[in-house]
Amino acid sequence: MDAARSPGWSIGLGRSGQIMATKDSGSIGSPWVISALRAGKGMRVSLYRPGDNTDIEGEVIGEISGNPREMGRQLRAFLEDTLLED
């Protein structure tokens, strides 16, 4: 997770080993969320817009794979490169 740290994003562990990153959307209680959940040999990365239910599958924006450090770097790239707009 340390390799995924990116300015403006808070990163933590969710349910079942899911990695969740949140970013303030300007609307109280409704952040932007990017999650990574185990899928095959890697992790599937999903985007949730403010107000989306994070208990169901979000918009899949890619996959990450490799060793833990490489996966962290790939996740950081998603955090920094994903265009967040309503």
Side-chain angles (χ1 to χ4, degrees):
M1 280 191 344
D2 287 339
R5 302 236 180 258
S6 182
W9 288 91
S10 297
I11 299 178
L13 289 177
R15 62 193 182 290
S16 304
Q18 178 184 39
I19 298 172
M20 295 189 75
T22 60
K23 185 172 189 168
D24 184 32
S25 69
S27 179
I28 296 173
S30 295
W32 289 96
V33 177
I34 291 182
S35 71
L37 183 63
R38 289 256 174 240
K41 294 183 179 184
M43 298 183 95
R44 182 177 48 249
V45 181
S46 300
L47 172 67
Y48 297 87
R49 290 172 173 19
D52 284 356
N53 181 354
T54 58
D55 291 329
I56 59 175
E57 186 172 358
E59 176 186 344
V60 177
I61 58 174
E63 293 187 4
I64 58 178
S65 62
N67 66 51
R69 180 170 296 284
E70 182 59 31
M71 290 172 66
R73 289 180 183 141
Q74 292 171 29
L75 181 56
R76 182 178 62 226
F78 277 108
L79 299 178
E80 292 174 352
D81 297 342
T82 301
L83 186 59
L84 304 177
E85 53 186 44
D86 291 324

